[in-house]
Amino acid sequence: MKKMTALFTTAAMSLTALFGCANAFAEEGAGDVWTGEIEPVVVTLLNAGTDNPYLDQVAEKLNEYLGDKIGVEVSFRQVSIFNAASQYTMWIGGGETVDLLTIAYAPVSAFTGMNMLEPLDDLLQYAPHIQELAEEGYAIYCPSADGHIYGIRTLNPPVSNGDGMYFWKEDLEEAGLEYEDNQLVTLEDIELIVSKVKELHPDAYVGVYGSAPRSGFTIEADPLGANITSGVILGTESTEVVNYFETEEYQDYIKLLRKWYEEGLVKKDAATTDALEGGSMTNDPENCRMMWNEYNTGIIASYEEATGKEVVALRTAKRNQNALTDTDCYTGIPVTCEHPEAAMRFLDMMYSDMFVENTCYFGIEGVNFDYTDETKTAYVANPDNGFWALGSGNRMLEPMQGVYKEDTVQKYDQFAEEINSSPTKGYGFLYDPANMTNQITAIDAVLQEYRAALETGSADIDTVYPEFIKKLKANGIDDVIADKQAQFDAWLAEN
Amino acid sequence: MTGVRSRQEKTIAAIGHIIMILAAALAIAPFWLLVSSSIQEESSIIRDGYSFLPKEVSFSAYQYLLGEWKQIGRAYFVTIFTTVIGTTLSLFLVSMTSYVLSIRDLPGRTFIFIAILLTMLINGGQVSMYITYTRIVDVRNTIFALLVPNLLLNGFNVMLVRNYVTNSIPRELQEAASIDGAGLFHIYIRIILPLSKPILATVGLLTALGYWNDWINGLYFVSDSKWYSIQLMLNQINSNASFLASHSDQLGQMANQIDIPTVAVRMAISVLVIIPIVLAYPFFQKYFTGGMMVGAVKG
Amino acid sequence: MKARKKKVNFKRFIPAYIMLLPGLAYFVINNYIPMYGITIAFRKLDFKKGILRSPFCGFDNFKFLFASGNMGPIIRNTVLYNLVFLALGAIVPVAFAILFNEIRAKRVKKLYQTVVLLPYLMSMVIVSSLVYNFLSADMGFINKSILEPLTGQTVSFYQEKKFWPFILTFVHEWKGLGFSMVLYLSTLLSISDDFYEAAKIDGATRLQQIRYIMLPFLRPTIIMMLILGISKIFNSDFGLFYQVPKNSGVLYPVTQTIDVYVYNALMNQNNIMMSSAASVAQAAIGFTLVIVSNLIIKKISPDDSIF
């Protein structure tokens, strides 16, 4: 559970600027006193199925701070992430007042299609810090077909977005392999290491499961602000939208997994289970000796803490700077919002004010969590009164969980630099799938049928893979890719 | 059923025993496995597989739940409370409605009955249901939120009870009472209710299970987690755990902040959900007794 | 008929209508008012205008149901499983109820009844875990404790289509048996002992009593359950077909039903117009089938029709 959440101290380039700006705001904010009316704002918070008992106290704490700053009295409404989209539909359909919706893993089109969200274009004037971030080059606006902005994305620190394969350090040493943590490796390297580990430990297996297909961890693909279903561009030079599932990289991945499956390196039930049921490096460290996961110093620390073994995580794909996917977190203003201006002022605080952002997601300092050092770069949650919500806002303002470490900062720097220096050709472009809804719906159903089995090696490639591609085509994947290419070309011509 | 039983009767009863023993074994084995996997050490499950007699026993799942006892105890109370009140109300409504609809020459009875049957075939969906119970009749955050929407009365139960009253309660009884000057409500209380015990026990069981297993109403209409039922807790934990497991790469560090309950904990909660019904079930069985018509007609 | 109707003394029925009032009020609020939600299937929803003012768009929302080139097997699965479940539902629980009714030992009877109801009490999510506990290739009881020690080989159940029509049918029967048995039992319990005594005097054996007394009493309930089943022939128990096979894609040719397809297709979309279209289509077919089957029954045996 000791995770590092975010790190902002020594961020490269623009991040330093951002931090500076947050501080500046805090200073000038202290002088400002809000003289207008205080308006109520209802904010949704996502949880993971267990309600937070501290909501009212947290809202109270925030209101003490916010009242004379931006004239907002905030109250929270929590909803579990699994039910969020359907609950929102009912609330908005029922005309209930909600001012800020936090949305996760549902595309903007799912809400704009039914006119549930207000366009934010005219409201952005109340959010100077959000505008600043956008001008600095962060892709934080969610646009849509009609050219309006409907949501503000959660700004995640790039450190959370690496793709890694985790190994036990003892295994690499035993096999006489020299790899350094955070090193970028190829699929061949991985194949070699895994076979060596298997020689040493015949019962070893790779923790890969159908619940979370991992092919994306080895392929440098940019889905252009939508799902990989509708096609991707590869690498940083290409402008050609291709079928992700037909790429050579994808075929290499499923061939390797098939080989592993036949050698007993993948669990027989892998296609239909998840790491909790099937076994992971934390709940079965003796046999699950390697696993794909995000490259994330926090995850590494949690593995080490749970097992007492040292981890080496190798990065299996270069992460380019792309427009993220359409299924990330974002915040929007629904049509039933009563005080859109106040809502926007509050949202702006979540992108600029460390106190507001941290109180929303970690609770009250001294009750729910404590900072571990004076610079507030790290925190520990109170084990008895932990408070957390699934976040939106500017997460780069948040402290890291656990204890501050010098080398994580270095890794973060390195990673941020790498990402910032390699934008894809599609950076800034977001595909709008509105015209292709029926095809994408049918394709989603095909993916459900084949992906888990192919990407865990559980299905025979010679017969099943061609069938998969054939079915994708029968359900119109080529039309969707052509549509994406056309929109992308138009955007390229403009920019 | 007095007197000596024939050989054939004995044979049929013997076959009955054999079949029921088989069915009972098939029913109890998975339940046993459910209990044993809730106390099996997690690493032992992954290594040795599931088994009826776990080699390494661990009560950590129950200890974890014991730590949450305040919340679970409250959820138990909410569930039991709504089940008892809801089932009582429902039985009253369903029997009264069904009885009236069984009165042979009641004008408009066929029309009303078909209108009720129609509700089994079509429904307006969740969104309009939600809007009705928040805008037209606001049940949010009241006890009615857990009792009323969708659970109180349904076409199926009305049909069952009405058919029973029509087919199995002798009309002469009602007519005799009517001639004696008894009103409809009096006949309902004195004759219909006591004589429909078997079907009311069936419908009551169905309704009680409906209340016991319901989590939708709590999810939609109750925002204070103090009023969460045990099923809502179980459901929230289960559905979110699998959602998080399949979105873990997108959630990234957020998912790692979250304590996803282990399989054993999920199993333990479902054991806790089932046990009370098993204990309460004999109470229903009291009403599954036949052969009372004779006495009723004669008396 | 008309002449009789005029004679009806409405005053006599006033108490009856009063007694009917609470129940009817409930159906109006709980079922009839929300029925306007059906129109969502035919609208292009616009929450700014509200549901009732959103424009109609004909059958646009239904199109996705036909967008897939593989609806054939999906419809076949849905209908076939339902037919099998209907046939078994008319035989198995009835047989169990009759046999159970013949057992005289009271305590044992109570025990049996409680135990066979156990599966009915578990949610499908839990049933799915239990089935997995038995069938898992890596950890399952059947593979780890039976097949591996005996044959040295394991079976990957979740990758083998051929087992699943049987597994799903078994799980369905196993889960529902306890309750449907109780349903038929309540009818058996209502049969007066007089009938049996009279039959005995006429020299009827127990088997004959079953044939000529019990079955006729059970018939209305059996037919009612059949008609209800027919109305749901294009629906399926989502938990059974989605959770129990653990949404294994390889098994789709024998496990995917309409509800599972709709869920898989719409899970990322939050599109209530499309999901509402799917359920309207299912209900429309079910509705037609009920009317037709009720008409047929009315022709064959008028007493058994449900309306």
Side-chain angles (χ1 to χ4, degrees), chain B residues 224-236:
Chain B
D224 190 345
S225 56
K226 271 187 209 156
W227 284 97
Y228 275 13
S229 67
I230 193 102
Q231 284 286 3
L232 182 56
M233 272 179 62
L234 173 68
N235 191 279
Q236 289 290 71

Side-chain angles (χ1 to χ4, degrees), chain C residues 28-234:
Chain C
V28 168
I29 293 171
N30 189 71
N31 299 84
Y32 276 94
I33 293 178
M35 268 189 203
Y36 73 86
I38 293 170
T39 65
I40 291 174
F42 305 95
R43 290 178 197 268
K44 168 105 184 65
L45 273 191
D46 182 336
F47 278 114
K48 232 174 177 166
K49 294 183 182 139
I51 292 176
L52 290 175
R53 286 190 207 89
S54 299
F56 282 97
C57 63
F59 285 88
D60 276 4
N61 297 325
F62 291 79
K63 279 183 186 153
F64 88 102
L65 284 174
F66 307 99
S68 160
N70 29 305
M71 272 322 259
I74 297 171
I75 293 174
R76 182 205 65 200
N77 284 343
T78 316
V79 173
L80 274 185
Y81 276 112
N82 271 314
L83 289 178
V84 171
F85 293 170
L86 273 179
L88 288 176
I91 299 167
V92 180
V94 175
F96 269 78
I98 291 174
L99 285 172
F100 179 81
N101 195 43
E102 294 305 302
I103 297 173
R104 291 284 161 265
K106 278 206 174 129
R107 284 206 180 161
V108 186
K109 231 174 150 177
K110 275 193 174 175
L111 184 70
Y112 288 153
Q113 215 187 336
T114 311
V115 171
V116 293
L117 198 70
L118 269 176
Y120 188 75
L121 307 178
M122 300 178 195
S123 72
M124 264 303 173
V125 180
I126 295 304
V127 172
S128 155
S129 315
L130 290 178
V131 172
Y132 177 74
N133 291 359
F134 277 95
L135 299 183
S136 161
D138 298 309
M139 303 175 272
F141 178 77
I142 293 183
N143 275 311
K144 272 274 175 181
S145 305
I146 300 173
L147 291 178
E148 215 174 67
L150 292 181
T151 65
Q153 300 213 315
T154 61
V155 179
S156 288
F157 286 101
Y158 289 91
Q159 307 293 329
E160 296 270 3
K161 278 183 286 208
K162 61 185 175 210
F163 300 111
W164 284 86
F166 303 100
I167 296 174
L168 291 177
T169 309
F170 177 81
V171 171
H172 177 265
E173 286 304 307
W174 168 81
K175 191 168 181 342
L177 180 69
F179 183 76
S180 11
M181 193 182 98
V182 165
L183 196 67
Y184 292 112
L185 204 57
S186 63
T187 310
L188 286 182
L189 291 175
S190 74
I191 303 174
S192 162
D193 283 349
D194 297 354
F195 289 100
Y196 301 122
E197 300 294 339
K200 255 190 179 166
I201 293 166
D202 291 346
T205 65
R206 195 61 183 167
L207 274 178
Q208 282 168 325
Q209 290 171 27
I210 291 174
R211 168 78 182 78
Y212 294 105
I213 301 172
M214 293 189 193
L215 283 181
F217 263 93
L218 287 171
R219 202 164 76 168
T221 317
I222 297 175
I223 288 176
M224 184 184 82
M225 296 306 284
L226 276 177
I227 292 180
L228 279 183
I230 288 170
S231 79
K232 301 273 181 235
I233 207 155
F234 272 73

Side-chain angles (χ1 to χ4, degrees), chain B residues 2-282:
Chain B
T2 46
V4 187
R5 298 171 70 195
S6 72
R7 228 176 115 180
Q8 193 186 44
E9 279 173 282
K10 281 181 190 159
T11 319
I12 297 174
I15 296 174
H17 274 290
I18 294 169
I19 296 281
M20 289 313 293
I21 287 171
L22 276 176
L26 282 177
I28 217 159
F31 185 71
W32 185 333
L33 203 61
L34 173 70
V35 176
S36 75
S37 56
S38 73
I39 56 169
Q40 195 171 356
E41 187 78 60
E42 201 180 339
S43 58
S44 144
I45 295 182
I46 292 167
R47 201 176 46 252
D48 313 322
Y50 295 97
S51 79
F52 284 91
L53 297 167
K55 284 187 198 108
E56 286 169 55
V57 174
S58 148
F59 288 95
S60 61
Y62 290 92
Q63 270 160 3
Y64 168 83
L65 292 176
L66 208 64
E68 308 280 311
W69 179 246
K70 241 171 108 185
Q71 212 190 338
I72 291 177
R74 185 185 273 280
Y76 254 137
F77 171 76
V78 170
T79 306
I80 292 170
F81 182 78
T82 46
T83 303
V84 171
I85 303 285
T87 309
T88 315
L89 270 176
S90 171
L91 282 180
F92 181 67
L93 266 182
V94 76
S95 55
M96 198 159 73
T97 310
S98 313
Y99 161 58
V100 175
L101 289 175
S102 77
I103 299 175
R104 205 181 281 161
D105 38 6
L106 181 79
R109 131 189 131 126
T110 315
F111 173 77
I112 295 171
F113 186 56
I114 289 181
I116 289 177
L117 291 186
L118 213 58
T119 62
M120 282 192 282
L121 301 177
I122 33 182
N123 69 77
Q126 284 170 350
V127 175
S128 53
M129 200 264 294
Y130 180 79
I131 294 174
T132 306
Y133 277 113
T134 53
R135 303 289 291 275
I136 297 176
V137 191
D138 192 354
V139 297
R140 266 173 302 173
N141 296 320
T142 64
I143 186 69
F144 299 109
L146 298 175
L147 291 176
V148 178
N150 276 336
L151 295 170
L152 199 52
L153 195 53
N154 66 50
F156 182 65
N157 290 353
V158 172
M159 184 170 76
L160 277 182
V161 179
R162 177 188 173 271
N163 279 7
Y164 187 94
V165 173
T166 316
N167 297 330
S168 307
I169 298 182
R171 197 152 296 281
E172 305 82 53
L173 270 179
Q174 299 180 42
E175 277 160 13
S178 194
I179 289 163
D180 289 348
L184 286 175
F185 194 73
H186 189 86
I187 296 176
Y188 163 64
I189 297 284
R190 290 292 151 133
I191 298 173
I192 306 297
L193 273 188
L195 290 186
S196 20
K197 269 185 197 163
I199 194 69
L200 289 184
T202 310
V203 169
L205 176 69
L206 189 63
T207 311
L209 287 176
Y211 278 108
W212 188 269
N213 290 327
D214 180 64
W215 49 272
I216 299 262
N217 285 348
L219 179 68
Y220 288 175
F221 301 113
V222 178
S223 55
D224 190 345
S225 56
K226 271 187 209 156
W227 284 97
Y228 275 13
S229 67
I230 193 102
Q231 284 286 3
L232 182 56
M233 272 179 62
L234 173 68
N235 191 279
Q236 289 290 71
I237 288 172
N238 267 333
S239 53
N240 283 285
S242 53
F243 182 86
L244 292 170
S246 58
H247 283 77
S248 63
D249 51 332
Q250 294 165 347
L251 277 161
Q253 53 196 1
M254 287 192 277
N256 285 287
Q257 259 171 280
I258 300 161
D259 223 350
I260 300 178
T262 60
V263 179
V265 169
R266 289 189 250 170
M267 295 287 181
I269 298 180
S270 34
V271 172
L272 290 186
V273 170
I274 292 170
I275 296 279
I277 322 182
V278 176
L279 295 180
Y281 189 55

Side-chain angles (χ1 to χ4, degrees), chain A residues 243 246 443 472-484:
Chain A
N243 183 349
E246 277 189 298
I443 295 166
L472 284 176
K473 289 188 190 292
N475 284 289
I477 196 167
D478 291 336
D479 299 340
V480 181
I481 289 169
D483 184 57
K484 198 178 207 175

